[in-house]
Amino acid sequence: MTKSFYWFCGFLIILVPISFLLMPSGGFEGDLSCWVRWARSIQLNGYENAYSNPEIVYHPFYLAILYLYGLIFTTETELSQHLVILKAMVFVFDLAGVFILGWFLNKNKISHWKALFVLLCPGYFYNTICWGQVDSIHSTFCFAAILLAIYQRPYLSVMFYLFALSMKFQAIIFLPILLILLLPQITASKKVFFTTILTTIGICLLIILPFVLANQLSNFLNVFTVAINYFPFVSLHAYNLWYLLFPFKDPMNISDTLLFLGITYKAWGHFLFLIYSIGIILPLISIIKNQFNRFLKVSFNKRELEIILLCCALLPLIFFFFNTQMHERYGHPAIIFAGAYAMLSRKYILFILVSVAIVLNMEGLIYYFQLPQYWYKHSLIFNERFIALIYLTAIIIGFWQLYKTVKSKDMLVD
């Protein structure tokens, strides 16, 4: 590591206390009030008994953060008055994502300081700073897991991925890509294979042990299924395909159990997501073949890295765009991968489109920046179908860039 990289790390560390001091207040009241109630419930009942409260439907990792938050502020009033501290605690993971990106750029002989462009991107920080949500946590863990798999650190990769799953189950969409990347490493050695399995079992036991000891295992497992059909509508303010298919109706009021050609809208969404997921994952077959041929003796070349990052950026986008029951923020993991791809390839259009779409989608719901009401109600930029078209454009461009890279002659160069 160069001296400049250490300066970069120092700068990010300095931003931690600054974020605690200067974190702006406000956000989506529905979520913020949940955090207060959940933190108070954990205070009163204990972390291990968190799921005795049926209102708590998030996974254990975030509950651990709420537990720590409850250790700092001990009354419900204090919990409510100091939500900026909770937002700052989550923002540490935004900074961690930028650090990981800087590390990745540094390994590829690109200035790590360019990672700060992602940090300054509203699409990246809006989720945490403005809305008050926590999608940056599992996004950062997934980003770390993928990069560690790329650089042949299977144990750490599995660890971070399990942390991601313990934060949000949406991280499951990255499992096929992670398996493809880890397969050559795990099968290359019996020692690596069994150590990876033991690592997986050990971390899973560490996550569930408090709930097992508290006789809360059934409530814990229920959390992984309760979110399914929790809001059985075609969209939950996610400006996606369903806003284009129903231009004169509100998708928030359309049940995804309704039928089209004898198949529910929900099943259609799953089917489209599956088809396009296959289209995303297919290019990785050539990469995995190359890895087997090389016997893991060399690293991925630049074009292969671009393909991996593009696949990881597109996957959460199509997950958000095609499935029903999607919230407005579910495309967030795409930003860090699109940013990494942009810095590596110097092709920024996908990163810009995704960032713009996510900010417009979320800002159009909570009016955080308090722009003129006319903009929110009547302007094109906050129109739901216009934003859905931005997402669609990003997906089309992403697929075009993906298959153009696959066909590139540079793929043949190690």
Side-chain angles (χ1 to χ4, degrees):
M1 295 297 178
T2 63
K3 184 177 181 180
S4 176
F5 184 76
Y6 289 116
W7 279 107
F8 171 75
C9 296
F11 177 74
L12 292 179
I13 292 172
I14 291 172
L15 289 181
V16 173
I18 291 176
S19 69
F20 276 83
L21 293 172
L22 302 180
M23 181 64 62
S25 61
F28 180 59
E29 186 58 35
D31 287 338
L32 297 179
S33 61
C34 271
W35 309 156
V36 174
R37 293 195 305 273
W38 294 2
R40 184 59 175 168
S41 178
I42 293 170
Q43 274 184 339
L44 297 176
N45 301 314
Y47 171 78
E48 67 280 5
N49 292 306
Y51 293 120
S52 62
N53 180 351
E55 185 194 8
I56 297 179
V57 294
Y58 271 34
H59 291 193
F61 194 93
Y62 186 56
L63 302 191
I65 294 176
L66 291 177
Y67 172 76
L68 293 175
Y69 180 59
L71 293 179
I72 303 171
F73 303 105
T74 56
T75 69
E76 188 169 358
T77 300
E78 289 179 337
L79 292 170
S80 181
Q81 291 176 343
H82 296 88
L83 282 167
V84 290
I85 301 300
L86 180 59
K87 288 167 70 174
M89 292 169 70
V90 176
F91 187 65
V92 170
F93 292 90
D94 293 72
L95 294 174
V98 173
F99 162 75
I100 295 167
L101 176 57
W103 171 79
F104 169 74
L105 295 177
N106 190 71
K107 287 185 73 70
N108 286 276
K109 300 179 181 180
I110 301 171
S111 174
H112 37 265
W113 293 102
K114 288 187 175 182
L116 296 181
F117 287 112
V118 173
L119 181 62
L120 295 173
C121 170
Y124 185 70
F125 66 70
Y126 192 99
N127 188 285
T128 301
I129 293 179
C130 303
W131 188 283
Q133 254 291 341
V134 296
D135 298 88
S136 65
I137 300 178
H138 77 283
S139 300
T140 294
F141 284 147
C142 287
F143 186 53
I146 293 294
L147 291 188
L148 287 165
I150 288 173
Y151 291 108
Q152 300 176 24
R153 299 291 185 270
Y155 315 138
L156 288 175
S157 177
V158 168
M159 180 183 75
F160 278 104
Y161 182 64
L162 291 174
F163 287 162
L165 286 175
S166 73
M167 180 62 209
K168 286 283 186 78
F169 195 61
Q170 289 96 311
I172 196 70
I173 64 173
F174 290 100
L175 182 59
I177 293 178
L178 198 65
L179 288 176
I180 288 173
L181 292 173
L182 290 176
L183 184 62
Q185 303 167 47
I186 295 174
T187 57
S189 161
K190 289 184 179 180
K191 178 182 177 182
V192 174
F193 175 80
F194 286 109
T195 305
T196 302
I197 297 298
L198 290 174
T199 300
T200 302
I201 295 172
I203 294 173
C204 288
L205 288 175
L206 183 66
I207 292 170
I208 68 172
L209 186 60
F211 308 105
V212 172
L213 296 177
N215 253 349
Q216 292 290 320
L217 181 60
S218 61
N219 289 334
F220 166 79
L221 295 175
N222 186 53
V223 170
F224 287 83
T225 59
V226 70
I228 301 174
N229 296 323
Y230 197 77
F231 297 104
F233 304 101
V234 295
S235 180
L236 303 171
H237 297 301
Y239 300 153
N240 54 18
L241 174 69
W242 301 99
Y243 274 84
L244 299 178
L245 294 179
F246 297 103
F248 304 111
K249 296 181 181 179
D250 182 1
M252 274 285 295
N253 297 322
I254 302 174
S255 171
D256 66 354
T257 61
L258 296 176
L259 301 179
F260 177 71
L261 298 179
I263 301 173
T264 64
Y265 293 154
K266 180 181 177 181
W268 277 112
H270 290 340
F271 174 72
L272 291 171
F273 172 63
L274 176 62
I275 293 300
Y276 281 89
S277 295
I278 293 172
I280 289 171
I281 293 172
L282 278 177
L284 294 180
I285 294 175
S286 61
I287 293 178
I288 198 72
K289 181 179 178 181
N290 287 342
Q291 280 291 81
F292 274 119
N293 290 339
R294 296 167 182 167
F295 299 103
L296 303 180
K297 292 180 179 178
V298 295
S299 60
F300 295 107
N301 63 44
K302 180 175 178 290
R303 290 293 185 243
E304 290 170 336
L305 289 176
E306 290 178 10
I307 288 174
I308 295 169
L309 293 173
L310 263 176
C311 290
C312 291
L314 282 169
L315 205 55
L317 278 181
I318 65 165
F319 174 76
F320 168 91
F321 193 75
F322 292 114
N323 281 308
T324 62
Q325 305 185 21
M326 292 291 104
H327 285 273
E328 62 288 316
R329 61 187 185 275
Y330 281 6
H332 183 80
I335 297 178
I336 188 69
F337 287 104
Y341 169 75
M343 302 303 166
L344 184 65
S345 67
R346 299 182 182 179
K347 299 172 184 175
Y348 298 93
I349 184 62
L350 177 64
F351 174 63
I352 293 171
L353 287 173
V354 172
S355 302
V356 168
I358 286 177
V359 170
L360 293 180
N361 196 155
M362 300 181 78
E363 174 62 15
L365 295 171
I366 65 171
Y367 306 170
Y368 188 84
F369 293 125
Q370 298 183 2
L371 301 173
Q373 283 294 310
Y374 176 84
W375 288 25
Y376 293 117
K377 301 294 185 181
H378 305 291
S379 69
L380 178 65
I381 61 172
F382 286 108
N383 179 272
E384 297 95 332
R385 277 80 191 176
F386 175 71
I387 297 170
L389 286 173
I390 297 177
Y391 278 116
L392 178 59
T393 303
I395 291 170
I396 292 172
I397 290 176
F399 269 94
W400 177 75
Q401 290 179 333
L402 176 62
Y403 279 90
K404 183 180 178 182
T405 306
V406 169
K407 293 178 181 179
S408 171
K409 291 182 180 180
D410 290 340
M411 276 288 293
L412 302 175
V413 181
D414 291 338

